[in-house]
Short mmCIF file of all heavy atoms in Angstrom, two decimals:
data_model
loop_
_atom_site.label_atom_id
_atom_site.label_comp_id
_atom_site.label_asym_id
_atom_site.label_seq_id
_atom_site.Cartn_x
_atom_site.Cartn_y
_atom_site.Cartn_z
N ILE A 8 164.56 64.39 113.36
CA ILE A 8 166.01 64.43 113.57
C ILE A 8 166.44 63.16 114.02
O ILE A 8 166.12 62.74 115.11
CB ILE A 8 166.36 65.52 114.60
CG1 ILE A 8 165.72 66.91 114.29
CG2 ILE A 8 167.88 65.82 114.68
CD1 ILE A 8 166.01 68.00 115.25
N GLY A 9 167.29 62.35 113.29
CA GLY A 9 167.81 61.02 113.56
C GLY A 9 167.07 59.95 112.87
O GLY A 9 165.75 60.03 112.64
N ALA A 10 167.77 58.89 112.47
CA ALA A 10 167.10 57.90 111.72
C ALA A 10 167.27 56.59 112.41
O ALA A 10 167.52 55.48 111.73
CB ALA A 10 167.42 57.81 110.18
N GLY A 11 167.21 56.55 113.72
CA GLY A 11 167.33 55.38 114.43
C GLY A 11 165.88 54.73 114.51
O GLY A 11 165.05 55.14 113.66
N VAL A 12 165.70 53.80 115.45
CA VAL A 12 164.44 53.31 115.67
C VAL A 12 163.28 54.34 115.72
O VAL A 12 162.20 54.35 115.05
CB VAL A 12 164.47 52.49 117.03
CG1 VAL A 12 162.93 52.17 117.47
CG2 VAL A 12 165.09 51.18 116.69
N SER A 13 163.47 55.39 116.55
CA SER A 13 162.48 56.43 116.80
C SER A 13 162.34 57.37 115.54
O SER A 13 161.17 57.60 115.21
CB SER A 13 162.90 57.41 117.86
OG SER A 13 163.37 56.73 118.97
N GLY A 14 163.30 57.54 114.86
CA GLY A 14 163.25 58.31 113.60
C GLY A 14 162.53 57.53 112.51
O GLY A 14 161.54 58.14 111.90
N PHE A 31 166.75 64.00 108.96
CA PHE A 31 168.26 64.34 108.88
C PHE A 31 169.04 63.32 109.88
O PHE A 31 168.56 63.21 110.93
CB PHE A 31 168.41 65.82 109.33
CG PHE A 31 167.63 66.74 108.65
CD1 PHE A 31 166.54 67.41 109.23
CD2 PHE A 31 168.03 67.08 107.34
CE1 PHE A 31 165.92 68.41 108.56
CE2 PHE A 31 167.37 68.09 106.57
CZ PHE A 31 166.21 68.77 107.25
N GLU A 32 169.96 62.65 109.28
CA GLU A 32 170.63 61.68 109.94
C GLU A 32 172.18 61.96 109.84
O GLU A 32 172.64 62.16 108.71
CB GLU A 32 170.34 60.27 109.42
CG GLU A 32 171.27 59.16 109.91
CD GLU A 32 171.43 59.08 111.49
OE1 GLU A 32 170.41 59.00 112.17
OE2 GLU A 32 172.49 59.05 112.03
N ARG A 33 172.71 62.09 111.00
CA ARG A 33 174.18 62.48 110.97
C ARG A 33 175.08 61.43 110.40
O ARG A 33 176.06 61.75 109.74
CB ARG A 33 174.58 62.67 112.54
CG ARG A 33 175.97 63.05 112.69
CD ARG A 33 176.13 63.55 114.10
NE ARG A 33 175.58 62.51 114.92
CZ ARG A 33 175.52 62.74 116.23
NH1 ARG A 33 175.90 63.86 116.86
NH2 ARG A 33 174.94 61.87 116.98
N GLY A 38 169.19 53.10 111.50
CA GLY A 38 169.34 52.16 112.73
C GLY A 38 169.93 52.67 113.94
O GLY A 38 169.83 52.02 114.98
N GLY A 39 170.66 53.77 113.87
CA GLY A 39 171.24 54.36 115.14
C GLY A 39 172.06 53.36 115.96
O GLY A 39 173.03 52.69 115.36
N LEU A 40 171.70 53.09 117.09
CA LEU A 40 172.34 52.21 117.92
C LEU A 40 172.47 50.73 117.46
O LEU A 40 173.47 50.09 117.72
CB LEU A 40 171.41 52.28 119.21
CG LEU A 40 171.67 51.25 120.43
CD1 LEU A 40 172.74 52.07 121.31
CD2 LEU A 40 170.47 50.99 121.21
N TRP A 41 171.66 50.33 116.64
CA TRP A 41 171.66 49.07 116.05
C TRP A 41 172.47 48.79 114.78
O TRP A 41 172.57 47.78 114.20
CB TRP A 41 170.18 48.59 115.82
CG TRP A 41 169.42 48.62 117.04
CD1 TRP A 41 168.65 49.54 117.49
CD2 TRP A 41 169.50 47.54 118.13
NE1 TRP A 41 168.12 49.21 118.82
CE2 TRP A 41 168.61 48.03 119.16
CE3 TRP A 41 170.23 46.42 118.30
CZ2 TRP A 41 168.46 47.23 120.36
CZ3 TRP A 41 170.03 45.67 119.45
CH2 TRP A 41 169.22 46.08 120.49
N THR A 52 176.72 56.78 118.36
CA THR A 52 176.20 55.93 119.34
C THR A 52 176.92 54.65 119.19
O THR A 52 176.93 54.14 117.96
CB THR A 52 174.65 55.68 119.24
OG1 THR A 52 174.00 56.88 118.92
CG2 THR A 52 174.06 55.05 120.46
N VAL A 54 177.81 50.59 120.57
CA VAL A 54 177.71 49.48 121.66
C VAL A 54 178.61 48.36 121.41
O VAL A 54 179.23 48.32 120.48
CB VAL A 54 176.10 49.04 121.56
CG1 VAL A 54 175.21 49.96 122.09
CG2 VAL A 54 175.80 48.55 120.22
N TYR A 55 178.54 47.47 122.34
CA TYR A 55 179.40 46.31 122.29
C TYR A 55 178.92 45.24 121.36
O TYR A 55 177.73 45.14 120.99
CB TYR A 55 179.62 45.74 123.68
CG TYR A 55 178.38 45.59 124.50
CD1 TYR A 55 177.57 44.45 124.57
CD2 TYR A 55 177.86 46.70 125.10
CE1 TYR A 55 176.47 44.40 125.33
CE2 TYR A 55 176.68 46.58 125.93
CZ TYR A 55 175.94 45.57 125.95
OH TYR A 55 174.80 45.46 126.69
N LEU A 58 176.01 42.50 121.78
CA LEU A 58 174.69 42.95 122.31
C LEU A 58 173.61 42.07 121.60
O LEU A 58 173.62 41.86 120.48
CB LEU A 58 174.40 44.44 121.94
CG LEU A 58 173.14 45.03 122.22
CD1 LEU A 58 172.84 45.16 123.69
CD2 LEU A 58 172.84 46.24 121.55
N VAL A 59 172.62 41.64 122.38
CA VAL A 59 171.57 40.95 121.93
C VAL A 59 170.25 41.49 122.39
O VAL A 59 170.30 41.99 123.63
CB VAL A 59 171.51 39.38 122.36
CG1 VAL A 59 170.41 38.69 122.04
CG2 VAL A 59 172.82 38.55 121.80
N THR A 60 169.32 41.70 121.66
CA THR A 60 167.94 42.32 122.06
C THR A 60 167.50 41.71 123.36
O THR A 60 167.74 40.55 123.72
CB THR A 60 166.92 42.22 121.08
OG1 THR A 60 166.61 40.75 120.80
CG2 THR A 60 167.10 42.88 119.77
N ASN A 61 166.85 42.37 124.16
CA ASN A 61 166.51 41.90 125.54
C ASN A 61 164.81 41.84 125.60
O ASN A 61 164.28 41.43 126.64
CB ASN A 61 166.96 42.60 126.70
CG ASN A 61 166.81 44.08 126.63
OD1 ASN A 61 165.83 44.62 126.02
ND2 ASN A 61 167.64 44.81 127.43
N VAL A 62 164.22 42.29 124.55
CA VAL A 62 162.72 42.08 124.43
C VAL A 62 162.50 41.26 123.18
O VAL A 62 163.10 41.51 122.15
CB VAL A 62 162.00 43.45 124.24
CG1 VAL A 62 160.40 43.17 124.25
CG2 VAL A 62 162.37 44.42 125.39
N SER A 67 158.34 43.30 120.40
CA SER A 67 159.17 44.56 120.08
C SER A 67 159.30 44.79 118.57
O SER A 67 160.35 44.62 117.97
CB SER A 67 160.65 44.41 120.64
OG SER A 67 161.39 45.46 120.32
N THR A 108 173.96 64.40 107.48
CA THR A 108 173.48 65.66 107.63
C THR A 108 173.12 65.82 109.17
O THR A 108 172.34 65.08 109.76
CB THR A 108 172.16 65.88 106.88
OG1 THR A 108 172.41 65.52 105.53
CG2 THR A 108 171.73 67.35 106.92
N THR A 109 173.90 66.72 109.80
CA THR A 109 173.61 66.99 111.32
C THR A 109 172.72 68.26 111.47
O THR A 109 173.06 69.35 110.78
CB THR A 109 175.07 67.23 111.91
OG1 THR A 109 175.82 66.09 111.57
CG2 THR A 109 174.91 67.30 113.44
N VAL A 110 171.86 68.00 112.31
CA VAL A 110 171.04 69.39 112.66
C VAL A 110 171.77 70.03 113.70
O VAL A 110 172.16 69.35 114.76
CB VAL A 110 169.69 68.78 113.18
CG1 VAL A 110 168.86 69.93 113.82
CG2 VAL A 110 168.87 68.13 112.14
N CYS A 146 164.49 62.77 117.53
CA CYS A 146 164.59 61.29 117.71
C CYS A 146 166.15 60.99 117.72
O CYS A 146 166.59 60.16 117.07
CB CYS A 146 164.13 60.64 116.44
SG CYS A 146 162.37 61.08 116.09
N THR A 147 166.87 61.72 118.60
CA THR A 147 168.29 61.65 118.61
C THR A 147 168.78 60.63 119.59
O THR A 147 169.97 60.50 119.80
CB THR A 147 168.88 62.93 118.88
OG1 THR A 147 168.26 63.60 120.02
CG2 THR A 147 168.78 63.94 117.73
N GLY A 148 167.95 59.99 120.23
CA GLY A 148 168.30 58.89 121.21
C GLY A 148 168.94 59.43 122.49
O GLY A 148 169.21 60.64 122.54
N PHE A 150 171.73 57.85 124.03
CA PHE A 150 172.90 57.01 124.37
C PHE A 150 174.07 57.68 123.65
O PHE A 150 174.99 56.98 123.12
CB PHE A 150 172.72 55.68 123.88
CG PHE A 150 171.54 54.96 124.49
CD1 PHE A 150 170.38 54.74 123.76
CD2 PHE A 150 171.58 54.62 125.77
CE1 PHE A 150 169.37 54.10 124.30
CE2 PHE A 150 170.50 54.05 126.47
CZ PHE A 150 169.33 53.79 125.78
N LEU A 151 174.17 58.98 123.81
CA LEU A 151 175.22 59.77 123.00
C LEU A 151 176.35 60.20 124.00
O LEU A 151 177.51 60.07 123.76
CB LEU A 151 174.78 60.89 122.29
CG LEU A 151 174.13 60.65 120.87
CD1 LEU A 151 173.71 61.83 120.16
CD2 LEU A 151 175.44 60.07 120.05
N THR A 195 173.66 47.03 130.62
CA THR A 195 175.03 46.99 130.01
C THR A 195 176.11 46.52 131.05
O THR A 195 176.98 45.58 130.75
CB THR A 195 175.33 48.44 129.62
OG1 THR A 195 174.41 48.92 128.71
CG2 THR A 195 176.84 48.52 128.96
N PHE A 339 171.11 71.24 120.01
CA PHE A 339 170.55 72.05 119.01
C PHE A 339 169.47 72.95 119.31
O PHE A 339 168.93 73.70 118.61
CB PHE A 339 170.23 71.14 117.72
CG PHE A 339 169.40 69.92 118.07
CD1 PHE A 339 168.13 69.95 118.42
CD2 PHE A 339 170.12 68.72 118.30
CE1 PHE A 339 167.45 68.86 118.77
CE2 PHE A 339 169.55 67.61 118.62
CZ PHE A 339 168.16 67.61 118.84
N SER A 379 159.29 46.97 125.24
CA SER A 379 159.93 47.52 124.08
C SER A 379 159.97 49.10 123.94
O SER A 379 158.89 49.66 123.83
CB SER A 379 159.38 46.84 122.89
OG SER A 379 159.83 47.47 121.73
N ILE A 380 161.18 49.57 123.72
CA ILE A 380 161.30 50.97 123.37
C ILE A 380 160.68 51.33 121.96
O ILE A 380 159.99 52.25 121.70
CB ILE A 380 162.77 51.44 123.56
CG1 ILE A 380 163.32 51.15 124.71
CG2 ILE A 380 162.88 52.91 123.15
CD1 ILE A 380 162.92 52.08 125.95
N LEU A 381 160.92 50.21 121.13
CA LEU A 381 160.62 50.42 119.80
C LEU A 381 159.07 50.66 119.65
O LEU A 381 158.48 51.53 118.96
CB LEU A 381 161.08 49.11 118.91
CG LEU A 381 160.72 49.24 117.39
CD1 LEU A 381 161.74 48.51 116.66
CD2 LEU A 381 159.24 48.58 117.12
C1 FAD B 1 173.37 48.70 125.18
C2 FAD B 1 171.91 49.01 124.88
C3 FAD B 1 171.11 47.95 124.59
C4 FAD B 1 169.79 48.05 124.35
N1 FAD B 1 168.98 46.87 124.13
C5 FAD B 1 167.50 47.05 123.75
C6 FAD B 1 166.86 45.92 123.39
O1 FAD B 1 167.27 44.81 123.44
N2 FAD B 1 165.53 46.09 123.09
C7 FAD B 1 165.05 47.35 122.95
O2 FAD B 1 163.80 47.48 122.65
N3 FAD B 1 165.77 48.41 123.28
C8 FAD B 1 167.09 48.38 123.71
N4 FAD B 1 167.86 49.35 123.91
C9 FAD B 1 167.18 50.74 123.80
C10 FAD B 1 167.32 51.55 122.50
O3 FAD B 1 167.35 52.83 122.98
C11 FAD B 1 166.20 51.45 121.61
O4 FAD B 1 166.18 50.06 121.01
C12 FAD B 1 166.39 52.31 120.28
O5 FAD B 1 167.59 51.92 119.55
C13 FAD B 1 166.42 53.74 120.48
O6 FAD B 1 166.41 54.27 119.21
P1 FAD B 1 166.58 55.81 118.96
O7 FAD B 1 166.11 56.04 117.55
O8 FAD B 1 165.66 56.61 119.95
O9 FAD B 1 168.04 56.36 119.35
P2 FAD B 1 169.44 55.85 118.40
O10 FAD B 1 169.38 54.46 118.16
O11 FAD B 1 170.48 56.28 119.39
O12 FAD B 1 169.26 56.77 117.19
C14 FAD B 1 169.55 58.22 117.22
C15 FAD B 1 169.99 58.52 115.87
O13 FAD B 1 169.98 59.96 115.70
C16 FAD B 1 171.12 60.51 115.02
N5 FAD B 1 171.50 61.91 115.62
C17 FAD B 1 171.73 62.34 116.89
N6 FAD B 1 171.88 63.48 116.90
C18 FAD B 1 171.80 63.96 115.55
C19 FAD B 1 171.70 65.33 115.02
N7 FAD B 1 172.05 66.44 115.77
N8 FAD B 1 171.48 65.42 113.75
C20 FAD B 1 171.19 64.36 112.98
N9 FAD B 1 171.15 63.04 113.41
C21 FAD B 1 171.43 62.90 114.80
C22 FAD B 1 172.18 59.39 115.46
O14 FAD B 1 173.30 59.36 114.48
C23 FAD B 1 171.28 58.23 115.45
O15 FAD B 1 171.34 57.50 114.22
C24 FAD B 1 169.13 49.32 124.22
C25 FAD B 1 170.09 50.45 124.43
C26 FAD B 1 171.36 50.24 124.75
C27 FAD B 1 172.31 51.46 125.06
#
Side-chain angles (χ1 to χ4, degrees):
I8 312 177
V12 162
S13 312
F31 303 107
E32 167 56 52
R33 180 170 45 187
L40 183 82
W41 297 99
T52 320
V54 286
Y55 41 99
L58 177 71
V59 171
T60 56
N61 55 24
V62 182
S67 183
T108 310
T109 304
V110 172
C146 311
T147 47
F150 302 106
L151 270 179
T195 304
F339 42 81
S379 165
I380 304 286
L381 182 147

